[in-house]
C-alpha cells in the first residue's frame, strides 16, 4: 500500500516544529473556506472524486451489459460494441468497470468513516485526558499500527468465507484507524496547551463543550486529511483483497484484475483487460491525494509548492526568494550608482588578522 | 566618533508587488565604534525586521526595496553590504557582524555538539586554521563567557537557557567581529539572568572593543545598558538620542509613553501610564504621522503630513533627533 | 538506555498481541471447517494433522479455551507452526524458511534503497523550492496512487517477455539449482530487478514528499537562520543543519510505515511469481491452507517488529536527545 503522503500525517509527538494547524479565528473562517476551494489542486481533486461518486451511483444503470453475462466475443479488443473489449468469457470489461465503481466507493467511504470515527475517539481521548488513559491508548494504537494490516486483512477475510462489501469495509476500518489516531493525539496535545483551551478549562467549561467547540474546529483539517488518506488506503486494500481472490462476490476493479491475472491476459496481449482498472484506481488515488495536498497547504501555508519563489526586478534580473539571502530589489537608478566592493578573502576575519 | 555601520534610507517590504506591506520605511541610523546603540519599540514596530533586513537574513516573503547599509571595515574602504554577492556576503557574515538571536532555545542545532557549532564557523571563515587551534579558540570563547570548557562536548539540550545564550554570545565573538547585533537576546530568560548576561556583555565590549546594536521592547534595559537609543514606531525611527537624555527628557509622545510604561529603576518615582490603543497594522498605516491616532498631543498637521526625522528646535538639540510635529526638524537627518 | 528498554517491552507486547490475534482468528470460522478440509483432502490428511487442525480451530471440545491458548504458545515456542496442506506433509516452518530469504532480500534491500533515494531527492526538493525536484512531485503522486501489483503487471507487459532481458516470473532460472555460485546468484539478481524496480517506483514518492515537507518546516527554524548568519557554506547549512534535523521524523516515519509497505510488496511477489512469502501466501489462500497463512502472518509481523527495532536504534544514534548521559 502506499505510504501516507500527507505532511500532517508526519507529525510525530515530541518532535516539536511540525506542521501545526493554524488556530482558526471566528471572523476568518469563511474566508479560509474559500481559500481552500481556490487551491487548484483541491478543486481538481474534488471534481474528479465527484465524477467517481456519480458513477458509483448511476454506474450499474448506465452499464451497457450485465458485467457477468457471457457472449461469444472472447478476449476481443476494444470495439464499438465493447468499448473496452471483452474477457475470456466474453464479458464486457467496460460494464465491469462501471458496475465495480459502486463497490469501490462504498467500501472506501464506509471504511474511512469507521476508521475516522475510531481515530477521533481514541486520538482525542488520549491527547485530552492524558495520564494513564493516554499511555494505554497510545500503546494500543501503536500495536495496531505496527502489525502489518494487509496480511492481517487477507487472513481474516479468507478465514471468514464469502464476506460482503460491508464486512470488508468494517474489517478495513478496524485495521486502518491507528495512524490517524496517532496524529490526532499529537495535535490534541499541542492544542490543549494553547491559551484559549487552558482558559476554557480554567473557567470550568465542561469537557464535552471544550472538545466539541474548542478542539474539534481546530482539528477539522487534520481529521479531513486523515479521512481522505484512509479512503485511499481502504480502496487499495479492497482491490488488493479482490485481486488475491479472497473476496469474490460481485464486481469491483480488483475482481477484474484477478480474472485478468488468472486468465493470462498478459500472455494474450489483452491490455484492455487490465489497463483500464488500474488507471481508474490511479486516477481516484491521485484525486484524493490532490485533495489532501490542498488541505495540507491550507493548514500549513509554508508547504505550498513553488508559488512565488522567483522575483523579476525592475532591471529584468530574476531573483530567487530563499531563506538566508533576502533579495534586494530597487529602482535601476539607485542600482547604477551602487559601488560593488570586493572583499579580500585572505585574512578577512579579525582572527586571521590577529594571527598574522 | 568614527562610524562602523551606516544604514541609509533602508526600506524593507513583506510580499511582492501590489500585496507588499512596508515593514521598514526610510530608516537611517549610524552605529559608531565601540558604542551600544539601543533600538526599542513595541512588537510590530519593525525593529527586528530592520535587524534581519540589514543583514539580509529576512525570510521570504521579506525583500529589501531600497537603501544602503555601509560597512566600514577596520582596513580598507567602506562598502555597501546590500550590494555584496552571495559569496562575499557569506564571508562578511559573522566575521564582521555577528548576531545573537531572539530564540535562545532554538538558536543552537539540537543534533550537534557545542564544540562542533563553535568550530564550524572557524572552519568556514578560516580554512587554514588547524583543528587544534580551532578547538583551542572555541574553548577560549567558552571561558570568556563563563562556561566551563568541559561543556565543549555537551549537546544543546544538556545546557540551561542561560548557558545556551552565553554559548551564542561566545559564538558571536569567536571571529572578533566589529559589530554584534542582539535581537531580544535575553527575553526568554529570568530577570536575574538577563542582567548577569548583559553586564557580562558590556564588560566584554570594553575589553574587545566591538559595537552593539541592542534590540528590545524593554526600554528599561536600554536605559541601563546602552549609550544611545533609537525608538521605532510603524517601521520608522521616531526619536534618537543619548540614553540619559532620552530617559530624562523624551521629546516624542510615543517615547514618553514607552518610558511611562515601566517603573523607574533609579531616581525619583514616576507615574506609570502606558499607551492607549494598539500598534498599527502594517497593511493599513494611518496617514501622516502613524502614531497620531494614539497620540495624546496630536494636532492639525499630524494626520496629513509625515514629520521628518531631524534635529529638534530646542536649546539642547545637538546630538539628538526626533520626528514629531511638536518639534519640527531644523536639519533633517540623512 | 531506558528508552531502548521501553521500546523492547513494547515490541514484546506487540508480538504477544499478534500471536493472540493469530490464536483467535481461526475460531471465528463458522461451522466445522475441519470436516470441510478433511473431505477436500480425501484421505491425504493424517490423524495427527487432523488432530492439530482441531486444536488450531479450537474445536477440541475436551479443552478449555485457556488450556488451548497455553498449548498454542507451547507449540510456538517449539517452532511448531503446524503442517502445511499445500506442501503436505512439509511443516509450515520449513515452507516459510524457504520463502523468507527471498522476501527479506528483495523487500529489505529495495525498501532501503527507496528510503535513501527518496530522502535524498526530498532534501533537494525541500531546499531549493521551485527547482526541478519540485516538478517531480505531481509525477510521483500519480505513481504512489497506483497499486504496487498493477504497476508490476504493467512492468511485465511493457518490459518483460521471452526476448527481453527481464524475466517475467520466478526468482531464478528454472534450470538452475539454488546455490551460492556464479550461475545462480546473477540469475537471482536478474530476476529480482523488475520486481525491485516496481517497488521502488511505487514507494519512493512517499519518502520524497515526506522529506520535502520536513525540509520546508525545518528551514524556518532559528538554527537555520543562525547557520546562514554564521556564513557557513550552503552545503553545510543544507545537509548538516537542515537535512540532518529533517531526517529524524523521517526515520521514525520509516519504522511506522513498514507495516504498510510490506503489504504492498507481498503483492508484487504475487504478480512476478517471486518465490517469497507473498507468493506463498497467495498459494496458501488459494488452498485454504490455514496453518501456512497464520505462520506467514506471524513471521511477517515479527520481521516488521525487528525492522522497527533497527529503526529505533538508528534513531537513537541520530538524535542525541534520546540518549541519556550516564
Amino acid at each position: 500500500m502506499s505510504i501516507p503522503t500527507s505532511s500532517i500525517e508526519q507529525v510525530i509527538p515530541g518532535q516539536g516544529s511540525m506542521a501545526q494547524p493554524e488556530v482558526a479565528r471566528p471572523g476568518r473562517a469563511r474566508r479560509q473556506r474559500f481559500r481552500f476551494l481556490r487551491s487548484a489542486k483541491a478543486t481538481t481533486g474534488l471534481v474528479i472524486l465527484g465524477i467517481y461518486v456519480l458513477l458509483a451511483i448511476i454506474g450499474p444503470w448506465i452499464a451497457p451489459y450485465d458485467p457477468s453475462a457471457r457472449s461469444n466475443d472472447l478476449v476481443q479488443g476494444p470495439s464499438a460494441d465493447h468499448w473496452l473489449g471483452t474477457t475470456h468469457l466474453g464479458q464486457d470489461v467496460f460494464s465491469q468497470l462501471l458496475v465495480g465503481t459502486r463497490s469501490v466507493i462504498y467500501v472506501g467511504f464506509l471504511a474511512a468513516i469507521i476508521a475516522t470515527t475510531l481515530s477521533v475517539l481514541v486520538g482525542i481521548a488520549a491527547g485530552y485526558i492524558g495520564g494513564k488513559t493516554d499511555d494505554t491508548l497510545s500503546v494500543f494504537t501503536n500495536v495496531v499500527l505496527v502489525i502489518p494490516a494487509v496480511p492481517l486483512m487477507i487472513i481474516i477475510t479468507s478465514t471468514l468465507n464469502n464476506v460482503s462489501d460491508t464486512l470488508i469495509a468494517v474489517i478495513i476500518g478496524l485495521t486502518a484507524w491507528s495512524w490517524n489516531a496517532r496524529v490526532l493525539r499529537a495535535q490534541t496535545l499541542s492544542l490543549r496547551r494553547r491559551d484559549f483551551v487552558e482558559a476554557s478549562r480554567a473557567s470550568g467549561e465542561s469537557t464535552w463543550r471544550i472538545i466539541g467547540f474548542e478542539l474539534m474546529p481546530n482539528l477539522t483539517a487534520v481529521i479531513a486529511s486523515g479521512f481522505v488518506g484512509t479512503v485511499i488506503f481502504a480502496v487499495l486494500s479492497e482491490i488488493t483483497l479482490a485481486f488475491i481472490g479472497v473476496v469474490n462476490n460481485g464486481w469491483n476493479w480488483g475482481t477484474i484484475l484477478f480474472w485478468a491475472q488468472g486468465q493470462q491476459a498478459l500472455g494474450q496481449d489483452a491490455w484492455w483487460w487490465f489497463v483500464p482498472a488500474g488507471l481508474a484506481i490511479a486516477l481516484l488515488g491521485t484525486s484524493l491525494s490532490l485533495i489532501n495536498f490542498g488541505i495540507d497547504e491550507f493548514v500549513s501555508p509554508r508547504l505550498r509548492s513553488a508559488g512565488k519563489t522567483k522575483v523579476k526586478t525592475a532591471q529584468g534580473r530574476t531573483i530567487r526568494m530563499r531563506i538566508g539571502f533576502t533579495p534586494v530589489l530597487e529602482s535601476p537608478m539607485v542600482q547604477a550608482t551602487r559601488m560593488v566592493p570586493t572583499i579580500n578573502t585572505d585574512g578577512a576575519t579579525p582572527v586571521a588578522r590577529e594571527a598574522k | 566618533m568614527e562610524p562602523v555601520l551606516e544604514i541609509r534610507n533602508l526600506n524593507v517590504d513583506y510580499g511582492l508587488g501590489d500585496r507588499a506591506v512596508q515593514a521598514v520605511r526610510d530608516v537611517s541610523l549610524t552605529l559608531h565604534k565601540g558604542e551600544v546603540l539601543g533600538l526599542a519599540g513595541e512588537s510590530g514596530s519593525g525593529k527586528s525586521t530592520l535587524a534581519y533586513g540589514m543583514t539580509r537574513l529576512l525570510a521570504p516573503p521579506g525583500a529589501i526595496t531600497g537603501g544602503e547599509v555601509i560597512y566600514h571595515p577596520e582596513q580598507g574602504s567602506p562598502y555597501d553590504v546590500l550590494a555584496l554577492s552571495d559569496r562575499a556576503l557569506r564571508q562578511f557574515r559573522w566575521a564582521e557582524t555577528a548576531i545573537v538571536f531572539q530564540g535562545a532555545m532554538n538558536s543552537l542545532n539540537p543534533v550537534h555538539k557545542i564544540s562542533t557549532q563553535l568550530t564550524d564557523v572557524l572552519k568556514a571563515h578560516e580554512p587554514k586554521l588547524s583543528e587544534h587551534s580551532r578547538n583551542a579558540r572555541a574553548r577560549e570563547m567558552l571561558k570568556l563567557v563563563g562556561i566551563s570548557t568541559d561543556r565543549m562536548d555537551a549537546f544543546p539540550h544538556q545546557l540551561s537557557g542561560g548557558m545556551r545564550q552565553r554559548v551564542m554570545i561566545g559564538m558571536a565573538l569567536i571571529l572578533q567581529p566589529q559589530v554584534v547585533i542582539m535581537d531580544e537576546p535575553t527575553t526568554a530568560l529570568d530577570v536575574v539572568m538577563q542582567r548577569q548576561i548583559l553586564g557580562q556583555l558590556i564588560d566584554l565590549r570594553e575589553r574587545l572593543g566591538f559595537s552593539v546594536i541592542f534590540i528590545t521592547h524593554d526600554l528599561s534595559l536600554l536605559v541601563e545598558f546602552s549609550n544611545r537609543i533609537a525608538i521605532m514606531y510603524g517601521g520608522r525611527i521616531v526619536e534618537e538620542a543619548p540614553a540619559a537624555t532620552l530617559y530624562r527628557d523624551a521629546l516624542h509622545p510615543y517615547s514618553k509613553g514607552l518610558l511611562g510604561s515601566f517603573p523607574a529603576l533609579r531616581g525619583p518615582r514616576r507615574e506609570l501610564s502606558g499607551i492607549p490603543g494598539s500598534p498599527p497594522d502594517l497593511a493599513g498605516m494611518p496617514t501622516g504621522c502613524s502614531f497620531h491616532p494614539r497620540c495624546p498631543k496630536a494636532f492639525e498637521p499630524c494626520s496629513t503630513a509625515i514629520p521628518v526625522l531631524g534635529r529638534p528646535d530646542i536649546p539642547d538639540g545637538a546630538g539628538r533627533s526626533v520626528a514629531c510635529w511638536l518639534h519640527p526638524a531644523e536639519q533633517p537627518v540623512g | 538506555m531506558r528508552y531502548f528498554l521501553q521500546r523492547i517491552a513494547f515490541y514484546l507486547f506487540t508480538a504477544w498481541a499478534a500471536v493472540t490475534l493469530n490464536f483467535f482468528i481461526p475460531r471465528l470460522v463458522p461451522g466445522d471447517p475441519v470436516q470441510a478440509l478433511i473431505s477436500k483432502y480425501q484421505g491425504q490428511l493424517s490423524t495427527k494433522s487432523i488432530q492439530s487442525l482441531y486444536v488450531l480451530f479450537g474445536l477440541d471440545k475436551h479443552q478449555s479455551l485457556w488450556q488451548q491458548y497455553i498449548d498454542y504458545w507451547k507449540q510456538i515456542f517449539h517452532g511448531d507452526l503446524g503442517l502445511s496442506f499445500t506442501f503436505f506433509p512439509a511443516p509450515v516452518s520449513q515452507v516459510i524458511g524457504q520463502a523468507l530469504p527471498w522476501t527479506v532480500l528483495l523487500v529489505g534491500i529495495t525498501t532501503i534503497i527507496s528510503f535513501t533515494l527518496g530522502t535524498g531527492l526530498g532534501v533537494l526538493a525541500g531546499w531549493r523550492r521551485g527547482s526541478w525536484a519540485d516538478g517531480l512531485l505531481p509525477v510521483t503522486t500519480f505513481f504512489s496512487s497506483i497499486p504496487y501489483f498493477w504497476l508490476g503487471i504493467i512492468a511485465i507487459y511493457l518490459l518483460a517477455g521471452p526476448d527481453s532481458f527481464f524475466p517475467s516470473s520466478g526468482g531464478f532460472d528454472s534450470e538452475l539449482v539454488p546455490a551460492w555460485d556464479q550461475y545462480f546468484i546473477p540469475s537471482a539478481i536478474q530476476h529480482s530487478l523488475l520486481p525491485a524496480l516496481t517497488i521502488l517506483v511505487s514507494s519512493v514518492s512517499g519518502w520524497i514528499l515526506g522529506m520535502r515537507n520536513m525540509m520546508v518546516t525545518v528551514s524556518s527554524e532559528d538554527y537555520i537562520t543562525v547557520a546562514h548568519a554564521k556564513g557557513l557554506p550552503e552545503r553545510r547549512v543544507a545537509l548538516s543543519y537542515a537535512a540532518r534535523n529533517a531526517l529524524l521524523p523521517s526515520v521514525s516515519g520509516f519504522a511506522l510505515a513498514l507495516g504498510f509497505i510490506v503489504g504492498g510488496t507481498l503483492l508484487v511477489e504475487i504478480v512476478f511469481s517471486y518465490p517469497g512469502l507473498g507468493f506463498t501466501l497467495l498459494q496458501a489462500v488459494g488452498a485454504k491452507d490455514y496453518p501456512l497463512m497464520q505462520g506467514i502472518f506471524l513471521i511477517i509481523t515479527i520481521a516488521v517488529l525487528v525492522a522497527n527495532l533497527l529503526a529505533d536504534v538508528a534513531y537513537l544514534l541520530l538524535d542525541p536527545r534520546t540518549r541519556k548521559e550516564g
Side-chain angles (χ1 to χ4, degrees):
Chain A
M1 300 291 92
S2 78
I3 308 151
T5 49
S6 159
S7 83
I8 304 181
E9 298 181 352
Q10 293 269 342
V11 179
I12 283 129
Q15 278 300 316
S17 73
M18 300 289 122
Q20 296 283 337
E22 258 176 54
V23 172
R25 282 170 227 161
R28 282 170 60 196
R30 173 159 308 199
R31 214 165 11 141
Q32 291 196 336
R33 210 167 299 136
F34 276 121
R35 213 168 33 168
F36 171 62
L37 283 179
R38 225 188 298 155
S39 151
K41 286 178 189 163
T43 319
T44 315
L46 281 173
V47 168
I48 300 175
L49 182 65
I51 295 171
Y52 273 104
V53 172
L54 185 71
L55 285 180
I57 298 168
I58 62 167
W61 301 327
I62 59 165
Y65 298 88
D66 174 349
S68 307
R70 305 178 181 199
S71 72
N72 291 328
D73 303 329
L74 306 183
V75 202
Q76 296 293 309
S79 65
D81 285 346
H82 301 282
W83 289 3
L84 293 175
T86 59
T87 70
H88 65 299
L89 297 173
Q91 297 154 332
D92 183 52
V93 176
F94 182 58
S95 301
Q96 293 180 344
L97 206 60
L98 278 176
V99 173
T101 311
R102 181 176 285 182
S103 160
V104 170
I105 297 287
Y106 173 72
V107 170
F109 275 78
L110 182 60
I113 290 169
I114 295 169
T116 307
T117 312
L118 277 173
S119 66
V120 168
L121 289 177
V122 174
I124 295 186
Y128 190 81
I129 301 170
K132 282 267 183 293
T133 314
D134 181 18
D135 290 345
T136 315
L137 288 176
S138 292
V139 168
F140 181 49
T141 309
N142 288 341
V143 167
V144 178
L145 189 61
V146 171
I147 292 179
V150 173
L152 182 63
M153 279 188 267
I154 293 175
I155 290 173
I156 296 180
T157 41
S158 71
T159 306
L160 306 166
N161 287 313
N162 290 322
V163 282
S164 65
D165 276 358
T166 309
L167 189 56
I168 294 176
V170 170
I171 293 170
I172 296 174
L174 287 179
T175 46
W177 55 271
S178 50
W179 193 287
N180 294 324
R182 208 183 145 90
V183 175
L184 279 170
R185 172 185 169 272
Q187 292 293 349
T188 310
L189 267 180
S190 94
L191 279 173
R192 201 171 67 122
R193 293 192 209 101
R194 304 263 180 104
D195 294 343
F196 65 96
V197 178
E198 294 281 5
S200 306
R201 276 151 73 95
S203 65
E205 276 190 49
S206 79
T207 307
W208 286 115
R209 217 193 127 72
I210 296 173
I211 292 179
F213 289 90
E214 309 284 352
L215 290 180
M216 288 298 270
N218 287 305
L219 290 172
T220 318
V222 184
I223 295 172
S225 155
F227 180 84
V228 174
T230 313
V231 174
I232 304 179
F233 178 75
V235 166
L236 288 176
S237 298
E238 188 207 5
I239 289 164
T240 302
L241 292 176
F243 174 70
I244 296 182
V246 287
V247 182
N248 217 348
N249 49 346
W251 287 101
N252 69 49
W253 303 334
T255 330
I256 301 174
L257 294 172
F258 168 76
W259 288 110
Q261 170 82 357
Q263 299 301 323
Q264 305 297 326
L266 273 174
Q268 303 178 55
D269 252 6
W271 56 267
W272 58 87
W273 199 348
F274 55 84
V275 170
L279 284 182
I281 300 165
L283 192 60
L284 177 61
T286 307
S287 78
L288 292 165
S289 297
L290 286 174
I291 295 174
N292 245 352
F293 286 162
I295 298 175
D296 251 18
E297 293 176 358
F298 166 68
V299 172
S300 52
R302 252 183 284 172
L303 298 178
R304 240 160 261 173
S305 90
K308 268 219 161 177
T309 55
K310 283 175 186 160
V311 197
K312 262 220 156 81
T313 61
Q315 305 91 287
R317 279 188 307 151
T318 313
I319 297 178
R320 185 200 291 274
M321 290 286 238
R322 61 199 170 112
I323 291 172
F325 293 87
T326 315
V328 180
L329 329 157
E330 51 189 349
S331 64
M333 222 170 62
V334 181
Q335 186 71 34
T337 58
R338 179 162 279 177
M339 155 200 71
V340 179
T342 45
I343 293 187
N344 179 11
T345 60
D346 190 34
T349 71
V351 177
R353 289 196 285 273
E354 202 176 60
K356 275 180 187 171
Chain B
M1 274 198 291
E2 256 183 278
V4 55
L5 196 67
E6 291 174 79
I7 302 168
R8 292 183 191 159
N9 310 97
L10 190 69
N11 282 301
V12 180
D13 283 8
Y14 282 115
L16 300 164
D18 305 334
R19 277 189 289 168
V21 169
Q22 292 179 299
V24 167
R25 309 171 187 203
D26 205 22
V27 164
S28 296
L29 203 58
T30 304
L31 176 69
H32 297 102
K33 276 217 165 100
E35 83 173 339
V36 178
L37 173 62
L39 199 56
E42 289 165 297
S43 45
S45 61
K47 55 191 194 305
S48 289
T49 308
L50 175 63
Y52 286 88
M54 67 194 226
T55 48
R56 288 190 61 199
L57 283 169
L58 200 62
I64 297 155
T65 48
E68 290 174 326
V69 177
I70 306 296
Y71 178 74
H72 297 258
E74 278 183 278
Q75 293 150 359
S77 52
Y79 52 83
D80 182 0
V81 177
L82 300 184
L84 295 178
S85 69
D86 286 359
R87 192 162 158 265
L89 184 62
R90 259 192 215 105
Q91 281 161 0
F92 169 83
R93 284 176 172 171
W94 222 255
E96 311 293 344
T97 58
I99 309 174
V100 178
F101 290 96
Q102 204 161 8
M105 302 302 154
N106 304 322
S107 288
L108 289 164
N109 185 346
V111 298
H112 289 316
K113 290 174 184 169
I114 301 299
S115 55
T116 315
Q117 301 190 50
L118 283 166
T119 49
D120 68 357
V121 194
L122 294 170
K123 220 182 215 166
H125 290 274
E126 292 301 333
K128 285 174 200 155
L129 228 53
S130 72
E131 196 185 328
H132 178 77
S133 29
R134 282 202 299 265
N135 282 324
R137 177 91 187 139
R139 264 193 292 274
E140 190 190 323
M141 293 323 291
L142 284 187
K143 248 184 269 169
L144 197 67
V145 292
I147 290 181
S148 149
T149 49
D150 57 13
R151 302 316 298 243
M152 277 281 279
D153 287 330
F155 285 98
H157 71 278
Q158 296 166 325
L159 304 179
S160 69
M163 279 165 101
R164 278 186 247 185
Q165 199 57 294
R166 277 167 212 259
V167 169
M168 283 312 295
I169 292 173
M171 194 186 290
L173 300 178
I174 200 164
L175 296 175
Q176 299 193 356
Q178 284 205 83
V179 178
V180 176
I181 298 170
M182 317 206 87
D183 180 21
E184 306 264 11
T186 55
T187 311
L189 304 175
D190 62 74
V191 183
V192 179
M193 187 63 75
Q194 270 189 11
R195 292 187 182 275
Q196 209 181 339
I197 288 185
L198 289 177
Q200 197 175 32
L201 186 80
I202 300 303
D203 264 10
L204 287 173
R205 181 186 61 102
E206 273 156 22
R207 277 164 58 192
L208 303 174
F210 52 88
S211 320
V212 178
I213 295 182
F214 185 5
I215 299 164
T216 179
H217 63 278
D218 189 348
L219 197 52
S220 64
L221 281 181
L222 290 187
V223 169
E224 192 170 351
F225 290 105
S226 60
N227 305 113
R228 261 183 330 126
I229 296 177
I231 310 273
M232 278 190 86
Y233 187 83
R236 292 173 191 276
I237 291 187
V238 293
E239 182 162 11
E240 191 197 328
T245 318
L246 190 95
Y247 180 64
R248 211 174 46 240
D249 173 34
L251 293 178
H252 199 284
Y254 179 64
S255 317
K256 282 183 189 155
L258 275 187
L259 283 164
S261 54
F262 67 91
L265 293 166
R266 301 191 183 93
R269 284 191 183 192
R270 298 172 312 175
E271 190 141 328
L272 285 184
S273 52
I275 308 165
S278 52
D281 183 0
L282 288 176
M285 248 339 146
T287 53
C289 169
S290 51
F291 186 59
H292 84 262
R294 297 170 77 190
C295 184
K297 296 184 178 161
F299 61 114
E300 177 254 317
C302 295
S303 59
T304 49
I306 299 175
V308 188
L309 185 70
R311 185 184 155 164
D313 54 349
I314 54 164
D316 298 330
R320 59 187 301 184
S321 49
V322 64
C324 179
W325 286 117
L326 291 170
H327 308 277
E330 283 181 350
Q331 293 171 323
V333 172
Chain C
M1 210 53 222
R2 203 173 134 251
Y3 169 81
F4 196 59
L5 290 177
Q6 268 178 352
R7 297 307 296 168
I8 291 188
F10 167 72
Y11 293 129
L12 288 177
F13 180 75
T14 312
W16 168 80
V19 171
T20 307
L21 207 59
N22 231 348
F23 170 76
F24 279 107
I25 289 173
R27 285 163 178 74
L28 296 173
V29 188
D32 187 346
V34 181
Q35 269 313 319
L37 286 168
I38 292 172
S39 54
K40 189 176 169 197
Y41 288 89
Q42 289 168 1
Q44 285 180 42
L45 298 178
S46 66
T47 350
K48 188 168 165 270
S49 59
I50 291 175
Q51 180 55 35
S52 77
L53 273 179
Y54 274 110
V55 173
L56 175 72
F57 286 100
L59 295 170
D60 192 348
K61 297 286 185 296
H62 308 297
Q63 283 185 312
S64 67
L65 194 65
W66 180 244
Q67 189 59 44
Q68 293 174 20
Y69 186 60
I70 304 273
D71 284 354
Y72 184 69
W73 268 104
K74 275 187 192 157
Q75 276 196 347
I76 287 184
F77 272 116
H78 287 107
D80 178 7
L81 298 169
L83 296 179
S84 161
F85 307 159
T86 339
F87 303 93
F88 195 77
V92 166
S93 48
Q94 190 190 327
V95 177
I96 291 177
Q98 279 169 359
L100 188 63
W102 293 97
T103 300
V104 168
L105 287 177
L106 175 71
V107 176
I109 294 176
T110 316
T111 305
I112 290 169
I113 293 176
S114 168
F115 177 75
T116 317
L117 188 72
T119 304
L121 288 173
V123 168
L124 277 179
W127 188 249
R128 288 231 167 258
R129 302 284 298 281
S131 69
W132 61 271
D134 243 13
L136 280 179
L137 288 179
V139 183
T140 54
T141 307
F142 182 75
F143 272 114
S144 71
S145 311
I146 301 174
Y148 288 35
F149 66 86
W150 186 71
L151 197 66
I153 295 177
I154 298 297
I156 294 174
Y157 180 63
L158 295 178
L159 299 174
D163 310 323
S164 161
F165 171 75
F166 297 112
S168 63
S169 73
F172 53 90
D173 207 318
S174 52
E175 289 156 23
L176 294 170
V177 184
W180 292 102
D181 60 25
Q182 74 271 36
Y183 305 109
F184 180 73
I185 293 172
S187 167
I189 291 175
Q190 191 186 358
H191 278 74
S192 66
L193 282 180
L194 211 50
L197 205 64
T198 306
I199 299 174
L200 192 66
V201 168
S202 317
S203 61
V204 78
S205 70
W207 304 123
I208 298 182
L209 195 71
M211 193 61 183
R212 169 193 174 271
N213 287 353
M214 277 320 300
M215 282 296 281
V216 172
T217 312
V218 167
S219 291
S220 55
E221 289 284 339
D222 287 345
Y223 50 79
I224 302 297
T225 313
V226 172
H228 280 299
K230 279 157 85 174
L232 301 181
E234 180 156 13
R235 246 181 94 83
R236 183 159 174 88
V237 182
L239 297 182
S240 187
Y241 281 67
R244 181 67 174 67
N245 278 284
L247 190 63
L248 295 176
S250 254
V251 169
S252 40
F254 176 74
L256 294 174
L258 272 175
F260 291 90
I261 298 170
V262 165
T265 50
L266 293 180
L267 272 283
V268 174
E269 289 186 358
I270 293 174
V271 172
F272 286 92
S273 309
Y274 197 79
L277 285 178
F279 188 53
T280 313
L281 182 62
L282 178 76
Q283 291 169 303
V285 166
K288 297 266 175 205
D289 186 346
Y290 294 107
L292 187 52
M293 277 193 260
Q294 297 214 293
I296 291 176
F297 171 67
L298 208 59
I299 292 300
I300 292 174
T301 307
I302 289 168
V304 167
L305 292 184
V306 171
N308 258 283
L309 194 64
L310 293 178
D312 274 346
V313 173
Y315 193 89
L316 210 62
L317 296 175
L318 284 172
D319 190 351
R321 283 163 294 189
T322 53
R323 269 177 258 155
K324 277 277 184 290
E325 67 273 29

